[in-house]
Amino acid sequence: MADDCEVVEDFYGVYLLFCVNPRYKGKTYIGFTVDPNRRIKQHNRGSQYGGARRTSNKGPWEMVLIIHGFPNEISALRFEWAWQHPHISRRLKGILSSKKHKEKMYDYCLRIVATMLQTKPWSRLPLTIRWLKQQYQADFPAGLDPPNHMPVAYGPVKPTQVTRCKGKEAKATKVTTEDDEIPVPCSLCDHVVLHKDKMRCLSKSCFLVAHITCLADKFVQAEPPGTLLPLEGPCPSCHTQLLWGDLVRLKRGCYQMGEEVDDDDNHWANALSQSHDEGS
């Protein structure tokens, strides 16, 4: 594994394969994985090693694009199914035209996923669009640019699972964790926040502590009327722009790999700036 792989915790991804076998060149395959590095090996070794029957004996295949950042496996599997079956997905009916006569399947797959990323509920998720193989990178169709909060990343990724302690191990860990069990007031309502309701900022130096409902209500104020869950908003304490999905991931135990936001490093501002520069 290359040292420059980006480490991503609690990885759930939906990928696009491209066949480079001259006999089947241009064929595509869409799948779900929690480990893209292992999965591409399975596809290229054949169904007897765990690869899909549709890709077996047709390789080599390249995993060229992966969408990741889904909150759980079910969310990713639903995205995979809709990408595979756009013609019967109720969320895509009426907004996605059929494959054009001279349109390559690869281009059609990109048009489908670009449309999906602009369609609820996927448009509100903190997803990352990652080109694993830059030689296959292509611009999304005009008018189908990804939402501004979804960064475009490049290069390989190394998944890692967040370790959640149970039983005796969990009890022993409680002694050494930060002051999770000490009652603290909510920064927004001043009432005591219990650990199960606690949300905090991604910034390492920010002292924000808030109830889930208080912070959600604060973010929702800037959303269209009728919105139940927010997409993003500024931290009430340090004003760092935050994605709600990232705050939920932080609460679940992610960002243990030093990925939290520093005072002088707005994570999403930098990510978006980089993606725009590299994609221009």
Side-chain angles (χ1 to χ4, degrees):
M1 182 64 60
D3 293 335
D4 58 352
C5 283
E6 181 177 346
V7 177
V8 178
E9 297 171 313
D10 268 12
F11 186 94
Y12 302 102
V14 182
Y15 58 85
L16 176 64
L17 296 186
F18 182 83
C19 185
V20 296
N21 184 331
R23 185 177 177 183
Y24 303 101
K25 191 168 184 178
K27 283 188 174 293
T28 59
Y29 179 85
I30 295 162
F32 158 80
T33 186
V34 296
D35 188 341
N37 305 301
R38 179 188 64 200
R39 190 64 184 139
I40 186 59
K41 292 177 182 177
Q42 290 175 321
H43 279 298
N44 281 324
R45 295 183 71 186
S47 57
Q48 65 271 34
Y49 294 98
R53 283 182 297 175
R54 282 184 52 201
T55 62
S56 188
N57 300 318
K58 295 179 180 176
W61 294 85
E62 294 274 20
M63 188 177 290
V64 298
L65 174 68
I66 191 162
I67 311 297
H68 61 90
F70 296 94
N72 50 51
E73 182 175 335
I74 292 175
S75 176
L77 287 171
R78 286 175 175 170
F79 188 92
E80 175 202 29
W81 185 90
W83 196 358
Q84 291 173 338
H85 307 91
H87 55 293
I88 56 176
S89 169
R90 62 184 178 85
R91 299 190 183 279
L92 297 176
K93 281 184 178 180
I95 62 173
L96 179 70
S97 60
S98 301
K99 182 178 177 297
K100 300 172 184 177
H101 177 62
K102 294 186 178 181
E103 187 175 25
K104 294 180 180 179
M105 194 61 195
Y106 181 71
D107 295 333
Y108 181 51
C109 289
L110 294 183
R111 181 159 64 88
I112 296 169
V113 76
T115 303
M116 291 175 65
L117 294 175
Q118 291 193 347
T119 305
K120 292 182 179 178
W122 307 302
S123 62
R124 299 186 64 82
L125 295 178
L127 301 177
T128 295
I129 301 144
R130 178 176 296 275
W131 291 98
L132 297 165
K133 300 284 185 177
Q134 287 201 44
Q135 62 266 39
Y136 298 100
Q137 179 190 342
D139 293 332
F140 284 168
L144 292 177
D145 291 332
N148 289 333
H149 69 274
M150 295 185 188
V152 179
Y154 302 88
V157 61
K158 179 180 179 181
T160 182
Q161 293 300 314
V162 172
T163 302
R164 297 181 177 90
C165 302
K166 296 182 180 179
K168 293 180 180 180
E169 185 180 356
K171 292 179 180 179
T173 305
K174 281 187 177 181
V175 178
T176 59
T177 54
E178 54 183 318
D179 306 327
D180 282 334
E181 300 302 327
I182 299 176
V184 292
C186 173
S187 302
L188 300 176
C189 74
D190 290 330
H191 290 115
V192 170
V193 183
L194 300 178
H195 174 57
K196 64 184 181 68
D197 299 322
K198 184 186 295 185
M199 295 285 267
R200 60 187 181 89
C201 180
L202 281 172
S203 174
K204 296 176 182 178
S205 59
C206 181
F207 294 101
L208 174 79
V209 175
H211 293 103
I212 296 175
T213 53
C214 289
L215 193 55
D217 288 344
K218 183 73 173 177
F219 281 12
V220 162
Q221 291 175 9
E223 298 279 357
T227 301
L228 297 178
L229 284 177
L231 173 63
E232 61 184 333
C235 170
S237 179
C238 70
H239 308 296
T240 296
Q241 192 70 13
L242 303 166
L243 284 179
W244 182 255
D246 277 346
L247 295 178
V248 173
R249 284 168 57 80
L250 178 65
K251 179 172 175 55
R252 292 176 56 212
C254 292
Y255 302 106
Q256 298 177 12
M257 310 298 292
E259 298 177 33
E260 297 178 43
V261 179
D262 293 320
D263 272 352
D264 57 351
D265 180 21
N266 187 316
H267 174 73
W268 286 105
N270 284 349
L272 290 173
S273 174
Q274 180 181 9
S275 68
H276 290 161
D277 290 345
E278 292 176 337
S280 59

